[in-house]
Amino acid sequence: MSGRQHQMSLKNKGGAPPWADVMKSYFSEGHQLFAALQMEPSKIDKDGVSVFATIPDFFSYKDGDGSAHPGAYTIILDTVFGFSVFAKIQQPKAIATINLKTDYLRPIEIGSKVICSAECHAVNGNIARTRGDIFDYDGRPLASATGAFMIASGGPDFARLAKGRPT
Amino acid sequence: MTRFANSPLRHWLRFEAEEAENGYLYSITPDEAHIGNPLIKALHGGVVSTFLELAALHELRCTLGSDADGEAININVDYLKSVRLSPLFARARIAKTGRRLVFIDCIAWQDNDGSPVAKAACSIALLR
């Protein structure tokens, strides 16, 4: 849980865009789930988002077995997909997952470190489409997914979050 | 009866499986640790997906016997409504059991079962 504060500063050296504050607030305000997964962004731009994560021990679901429930993949993918939509539209709007289809390619052990790369490849009206993968540090694919998101028409909510809680 | 009966994941979600007259009723009791969107205090989509997959696996073992084990191949979840921080219920229905594959549909609701908040289709490979 250490080093949470500096994470979002990377890649935003030359004057952070406003939507970057949104994600910064997400990671630095002690979001319990993201903290548990030790999510650390490594790249955030229109072309895609990459986030490191570690599979937490509470994903253990079989006796005497170090394997993690693959639901951990869906949590990471849904999160990173959301960020890829923010990065694409570059506006702090409220979004909601419409659907998420995840293929499990390989099981994973508790405590493993993974990287999730995703992009928002299409925005049609208020519907955004995303696709992405999770790899282990050896580059082996663990899961791949596609998602659809609804972008709220109003949505000053996230801007308020970033503003209301200075980081 | 299931291998994940007392697993850390089950505790984290506060997952319960209760036998009712028309099959198992599954539930989780979410708290702050499961929030995806802190503004509207909505449950994280991945948490919903994990719950429905656990329910599907439980249903598989209850139907095919506790020896049966499977590994999910994929899961497709539709989010029909945002899920609030209150108990979430689900039922799972086996759509098809084959020799190697089982297809399970799940539906989740909060206030009443006529108002679903999420549904999932899960494909599971049987490990024999």
Side-chain angles (χ1 to χ4, degrees):
Chain A
M1 314 241 172
S2 60
R4 277 254 107 63
Q5 301 302 320
H6 69 271
Q7 287 156 6
M8 291 302 300
S9 59
L10 46 99
K11 300 282 174 192
N12 289 327
K13 299 171 205 114
W19 52 268
D21 286 343
V22 176
M23 287 191 268
K24 189 192 274 184
S25 67
Y26 249 138
F27 281 105
S28 56
E29 290 296 322
H31 191 294
Q32 283 194 45
L33 193 52
F34 301 166
L37 288 153
Q38 299 178 42
M39 291 210 194
E40 292 182 31
S42 76
K43 174 193 143 178
I44 293 173
D45 64 43
K46 266 184 166 173
D47 305 328
V49 173
S50 296
V51 175
F52 296 109
T54 304
I55 309 296
D57 53 8
F58 56 73
F59 268 90
S60 164
Y61 75 119
K62 291 179 179 174
D63 293 338
D65 182 337
S67 66
H69 189 278
Y73 293 147
T74 66
I75 293 182
I76 296 167
L77 283 157
D78 189 33
T79 305
V80 179
F81 279 172
F83 293 151
S84 75
V85 176
F86 288 139
K88 178 76 170 186
I89 63 176
Q90 306 224 341
Q91 283 173 38
K93 288 190 169 178
I95 58 166
T97 315
I98 301 168
N99 42 48
L100 184 68
K101 180 172 177 159
T102 310
D103 282 300
Y104 301 141
L105 308 179
R106 210 183 169 90
I108 194 163
E109 303 271 299
I110 296 297
S112 302
K113 292 181 186 302
V114 300
I115 181 156
C116 178
S117 296
E119 62 162 346
C120 172
H121 59 286
V123 178
N124 304 104
N126 51 9
I127 308 294
R129 318 294 174 128
T130 60
R131 55 189 173 206
D133 305 275
I134 298 180
F135 299 95
D136 64 16
Y137 277 21
D138 295 323
R140 289 179 297 197
L142 303 173
S144 65
T146 56
F149 286 79
M150 173 75 83
I151 304 168
S153 47
D157 297 355
F158 285 87
R160 200 173 65 223
L161 176 73
K163 213 169 160 184
R165 297 193 205 164
T167 54
Chain B
M1 81 172 277
T2 63
R3 283 169 67 201
F4 54 85
N6 287 305
S7 70
L9 183 61
R10 183 175 171 150
H11 284 291
W12 183 66
L13 289 169
R14 280 180 274 169
F15 177 91
E16 299 288 344
E18 189 185 313
E19 200 164 3
E21 51 191 79
N22 48 351
Y24 274 90
L25 175 66
Y26 303 100
S27 67
I28 58 170
T29 307
D31 61 25
E32 301 281 326
H34 308 112
I35 289 178
N37 181 338
L39 277 165
I40 56 172
K41 292 215 167 191
L43 206 60
H44 194 286
V47 173
V48 176
S49 178
T50 302
F51 165 48
L52 293 179
E53 193 183 314
L54 265 187
L57 272 179
H58 191 278
E59 192 75 18
L60 175 112
R61 287 175 193 149
C62 292
T63 308
L64 302 185
S66 54
D67 294 346
D69 198 8
E71 210 161 69
I73 301 166
N74 52 33
I75 185 165
N76 193 356
V77 185
D78 294 322
Y79 299 94
L80 312 177
K81 273 173 81 168
S82 77
V83 184
R84 288 171 295 102
L85 218 56
S86 63
L88 180 63
F89 302 96
R91 282 193 192 281
R93 186 186 63 89
I94 296 191
K96 169 80 167 79
T97 309
R99 269 193 318 125
R100 299 191 190 89
L101 296 174
V102 181
F103 298 89
I104 303 181
D105 295 325
C106 303
I107 193 139
W109 70 92
Q110 294 199 291
D111 299 324
N112 68 76
D113 57 6
S115 177
V117 297
K119 64 189 180 74
C122 191
S123 322
I124 297 174
L126 290 173
L127 305 171
R128 295 196 197 261

